[in-house]
């Protein structure tokens, strides 16, 4: 479980996060949504320890990040997996090299043990024949799978995903969303996903945090989001014609 | 003020490079890869430049020796001194700032743009140590490349002198042996080591701390070339005054 308590983060004169408090539960897919510029990415980077908030605290299963020693912080980082928006695969390494990289860096496993683990996670993300291909030789959806495989190869306790299905076709996007959800439940991970994709919200939004202008505007589940009267949330959710029609049907049904 | 900030963050970067080392097994592979890319990959251009610069220096010297009272061995002497003291260590380093420096900035800059550096940091890896330290170690072999450059430069001078009819082989060889001060070679290698450190770190700094996209990677490469060259030329003056002044 990750608990965020009143975090604030500024860049120069601009305050991006203005005091956000939230709890992300283990074994659930927690979504952070909001419009571009709402502070989602900065929020996620604070959770990852890439940005240090000026105020507030972040605790991981009760351990407050700021109170940890440098070694403990490093160990905690190794319990985190991250899927970047652009996959961030090491382009000079093959798919296998990318997935093996954390194992080579942080474990004392023998080459055969590492190979077994790599084969296992690549199979888990449904990538079987891409071991020796370079990231530039595979599709965007496959790159995302490799990124997920690399993120879970060390058996992380926390999984963070920044726009995991951006740039993917709707069918592949749903496959990636479902894969993340399955992995979260299977390995009992605390997963936090940044997204502005409403399909993801509908598919896997077990807990949703809506950010607006650096503040928590609303939180709830994917079932509650379509019923809320919060104007900012409804503006965001029903920005497309399709969802406007769904909303209209819902109101008509309710009346 | 920006310059002071940049110098400060460069100093902080250097400190970070030597902190929290990457696992030796991985580092060893990275160092060997960088030696191959940065050093062996530059051998050809260094040999080419040194050979022709050596030849040009010899011809220019010969053409300026219009007084028949001046001895013929001066061509070899002037070629040796120019190549060892300046052309091999400094001129080649400026060329390397373009070749190796731009490569370092663009490769690290691309990793920054595509979030690969963020990925390293999220994993708890000291990205500066992982990316910059192997380059510094690889470039510590730079004096060997420059030693080859010196030899080829003098050889180019000899070939141009003899084949161009500017002097005899015996005169040239007498010239390159005349008043030889071994410390000049030591001085050249000390300079080369300092330049090697500059060649590894300034381009890395510009790549690592760049912001923006693909266009900015190109701009960072240009800026890194300019500042690496400026640093080399400035340090050349300081080191020459310190060791020979």
């Amino acid at each position: 479980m990750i608990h965020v308590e009143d975090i604030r983060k500024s860049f120069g004169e601009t305050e991006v996060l203005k005091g956000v408090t939230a709890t992300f539960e283990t074994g659930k897919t927690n979504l952070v949504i909001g419009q571009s510029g709402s502070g989602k990415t900065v929020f996620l980077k604070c959770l990852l320890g890439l940005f240090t908030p000026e105020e507030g605290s972040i605790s991981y299963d009760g351990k407050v990040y700021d109170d940890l020693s440098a070694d403990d912080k490093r160990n905690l980082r190794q319990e985190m997996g991250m899927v970047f928006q652009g996959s961030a695969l090491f382009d000079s390494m093959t798919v296998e090299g990318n997935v093996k990289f954390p194992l080579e860096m942080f474990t004392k496993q023998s080459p055969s043990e590492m190979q077994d683990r790599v084969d296992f996670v690549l199979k888990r993300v449904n990538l079987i024949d891409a071991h020796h291909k370079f990231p530039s030789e595979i599709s965007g959806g496959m790159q995302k799978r490799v990124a997920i495989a690399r993120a879970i190869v060390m058996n992380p306790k926390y999984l963070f995903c920044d726009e995991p299905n951006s740039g993917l076709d709707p069918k592949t996007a749903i496959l990636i969303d479902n894969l993340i959800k399955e992995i979260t439940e299977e390995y009992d991970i605390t997963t936090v996903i940044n997204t502005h994709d409403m399909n993801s919200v509908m598919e896997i939004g077990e807990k949703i945090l809506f950010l607006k202008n650096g503040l928590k505007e609303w939180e709830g589940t994917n079932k509650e989001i379509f019923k809320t009267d919060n104007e900012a949330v409804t503006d965001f959710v029903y920005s497309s014609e399709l969802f406007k029609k769904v909303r209209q049907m819902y109101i008509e049904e309710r009346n | 003020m920006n310059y002071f900030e940049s110098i400060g963050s460069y100093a902080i970067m250097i400190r970070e490079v030597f902190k929290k080392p990457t696992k030796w097994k991985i580092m060893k592979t990275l160092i060997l890869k960088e030696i191959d890319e940065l050093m062996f990959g530059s051998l050809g251009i260094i040999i080419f430049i040194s050979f022709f610069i050596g030849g040009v220096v010899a011809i220019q010297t010969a053409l300026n020796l219009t007084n028949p009272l001046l001895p013929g061995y001066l061509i070899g002497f002037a070629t040796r001194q120019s190549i060892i003291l300046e052309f091999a260590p400094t001129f080649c380093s400026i060329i390397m700032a373009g070749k190796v420096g731009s490569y370092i900035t663009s490769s690290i800059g691309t990793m920054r743009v595509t979030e690969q550096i963020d990925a390293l940091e999220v994993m708890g890896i000291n990205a500066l140590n992982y990316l910059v330290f192997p380059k510094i170690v690889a470039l510590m072999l730079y004096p060997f490349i420059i030693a080859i450059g010196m030899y080829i430069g003098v050889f180019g001078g000899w070939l141009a002198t003899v084949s161009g009819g500017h002097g005899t082989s015996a005169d040239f060889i007498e010239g390159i042996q005349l008043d030889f001060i071994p410390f000049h070679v030591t001085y050249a290698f000390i300079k080369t080591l300092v330049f090697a450190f500059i060649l590894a770190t300034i381009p890395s700094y510009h790549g690592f701390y760049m912001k923006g996209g693909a266009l900015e990677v190109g701009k960072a490469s240009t800026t890194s070339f300019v500042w690496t060259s400026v640093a080399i030329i400035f340090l050349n003056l300081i080191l020459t005054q310190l060791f020979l002044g």
Side-chain angles (χ1 to χ4, degrees):
Chain A
M1 187 178 77
I2 300 172
H3 180 68
V4 181
E5 186 65 44
D6 196 27
I7 59 164
R8 289 168 186 272
K9 177 72 187 165
S10 303
F11 294 94
E13 301 282 296
T14 317
E15 196 178 19
V16 180
L17 296 178
K18 300 168 183 169
V20 180
T21 300
T23 300
F24 301 115
E25 290 169 42
T26 305
K28 280 189 178 174
T29 42
N30 302 277
L31 267 59
V32 180
I33 62 167
Q35 287 178 330
S36 300
S38 58
K40 295 192 306 285
T41 301
V42 174
F43 182 72
L44 195 71
K45 287 194 172 179
C46 286
L47 293 184
L48 283 160
L50 290 176
F51 289 157
T52 311
E54 284 101 30
E55 283 179 45
S57 66
I58 303 170
S59 59
Y60 302 84
D61 290 313
K63 291 178 278 187
V64 179
Y65 187 77
D66 287 341
D67 296 345
L68 298 176
S69 66
D71 279 345
D72 287 340
K73 280 181 184 169
R74 207 172 299 142
N75 293 336
L76 180 67
R77 284 269 181 88
Q78 286 165 27
E79 291 180 343
M80 294 176 181
M82 171 73 187
V83 178
F84 286 87
Q85 189 172 357
S87 298
L89 299 177
F90 303 122
D91 45 22
S92 57
M93 294 180 193
T94 59
V95 164
E96 189 177 289
N98 267 282
V99 180
K100 203 184 273 180
F101 183 76
L103 297 173
E104 287 176 331
M105 272 289 186
F106 302 112
T107 69
K108 289 179 180 168
Q109 290 181 7
S110 67
S112 64
E113 283 172 326
M114 281 190 216
Q115 192 59 51
D116 289 347
R117 178 72 187 148
V118 170
D119 290 344
F120 174 78
V121 289
L122 283 174
K123 200 175 166 191
R124 180 64 194 85
V125 297
N126 304 320
L127 268 179
I128 292 152
D129 296 324
H131 284 54
H132 302 296
K133 286 186 175 161
F134 283 91
S136 57
E137 296 171 334
I138 57 177
S139 68
M142 286 166 90
Q143 286 180 13
K144 285 278 156 63
R145 286 166 196 267
V146 179
I148 293 169
R150 187 178 67 179
I152 63 167
V153 74
M154 293 279 286
N155 274 326
K157 285 170 79 175
Y158 315 100
L159 180 65
F160 302 97
C161 308
D162 189 14
E163 311 270 4
N165 46 24
S166 71
L168 300 178
D169 63 88
K171 206 173 170 184
T172 312
I174 288 168
L175 285 174
I176 294 291
D177 281 341
N178 287 331
L179 180 63
I180 294 170
K181 191 171 187 291
E182 282 165 28
I183 285 168
T184 301
E185 286 166 2
E186 204 174 310
Y187 299 105
D188 203 25
I189 304 172
T190 307
T191 299
V192 182
I193 303 168
N194 254 5
T195 188
H196 50 223
D197 180 43
M198 282 315 295
N199 287 327
S200 297
V201 171
M202 286 165 71
E203 285 284 330
I204 58 167
E206 290 176 286
K207 160 94 188 266
I208 301 160
L209 176 74
F210 181 79
L211 290 184
K212 189 187 175 193
N213 299 328
L215 285 166
K216 181 172 81 177
E217 180 73 28
W218 180 87
E219 69 182 323
T221 65
N222 54 356
K223 290 184 179 71
E224 292 163 351
I225 199 165
F226 294 101
K227 297 174 189 168
T228 180
D229 293 323
N230 184 307
E231 205 176 318
V233 178
T234 49
D235 274 358
F236 177 78
V237 172
Y238 303 110
S239 51
S240 82
E241 285 304 316
L242 175 68
F243 283 104
K244 272 179 194 160
K245 280 179 187 160
V246 172
R247 168 84 168 164
Q248 193 58 42
M249 281 163 65
Y250 168 73
I251 292 169
E252 281 167 13
E253 221 171 76
R254 195 172 60 177
N255 295 335
Chain B
M1 192 59 197
N2 265 343
Y3 294 129
F4 290 115
E5 273 180 24
S6 297
I7 291 167
S9 53
Y10 171 74
I12 291 168
M13 181 197 89
I14 300 296
R15 195 188 61 184
E16 292 295 318
V17 167
F18 294 98
K19 269 178 153 181
K20 206 191 137 204
T22 304
K23 206 172 170 180
W24 173 240
K25 199 178 149 194
I26 308 271
M27 184 53 78
K28 198 172 64 183
T29 317
L30 292 172
I31 290 171
L32 291 173
K33 190 170 151 268
E34 297 293 2
I35 288 173
D36 183 42
E37 278 175 10
L38 303 179
M39 293 291 87
F40 290 118
S42 305
L43 202 53
I45 186 85
I46 294 290
I47 289 172
F48 177 82
I49 290 167
S50 301
F51 181 79
F52 285 95
I53 289 288
V56 170
V57 169
I59 293 168
Q60 294 273 21
T61 310
L63 294 177
N64 282 288
L65 294 179
T66 47
N67 190 332
L69 295 175
L70 289 171
Y73 61 69
L74 269 182
I75 302 170
F77 179 79
T79 306
R80 183 201 73 199
Q81 289 298 87
S82 311
I83 294 288
I84 290 178
L85 292 174
E86 280 310 313
F87 283 104
T90 313
F91 191 82
C92 287
S93 296
I94 300 288
I95 301 292
M96 289 288 273
K99 186 193 178 288
V100 169
S102 297
Y103 165 74
I104 292 174
T105 308
S106 55
S107 59
I108 297 180
T110 305
M111 286 186 77
R112 169 64 74 197
V113 170
T114 53
E115 295 179 309
Q116 291 177 51
I117 291 178
D118 287 344
L120 287 171
E121 286 172 350
V122 165
M123 288 179 204
I125 294 164
N126 178 355
L128 278 168
N129 179 268
Y130 180 82
L131 294 171
V132 184
F133 185 76
K135 291 177 174 58
I136 294 175
V137 176
L139 275 157
M140 289 301 114
L141 294 178
Y142 186 45
F144 291 101
I145 305 286
I146 291 302
I148 294 169
M150 285 174 182
Y151 177 83
I152 298 288
V154 173
F155 174 72
W158 171 81
L159 198 67
T161 305
V162 176
S163 63
H166 301 292
T168 64
S169 176
D171 275 349
F172 191 90
I173 290 167
E174 188 189 345
I176 60 173
Q177 292 173 335
L178 189 77
D179 284 338
F180 178 68
I181 303 166
F183 180 70
H184 283 177
V185 178
T186 311
Y187 151 78
F189 284 152
I190 292 170
K191 273 206 313 191
T192 309
L193 271 178
V194 174
F195 296 162
F197 187 78
I198 294 297
L199 281 169
T201 53
I202 293 184
S204 297
Y205 170 80
H206 283 281
F208 197 86
Y209 293 106
M210 66 143 299
K211 286 182 180 127
L215 188 65
E216 281 71 24
V217 174
K219 283 181 186 168
S221 297
T222 312
T223 314
S224 117
F225 170 68
V226 171
W227 282 109
T228 309
S229 307
V230 167
I232 287 170
I233 288 165
F234 179 70
L235 285 168
N236 188 30
L237 178 80
I238 303 283
L239 293 170
T240 306
Q241 180 61 37
L242 274 175
F243 289 104
L244 302 180

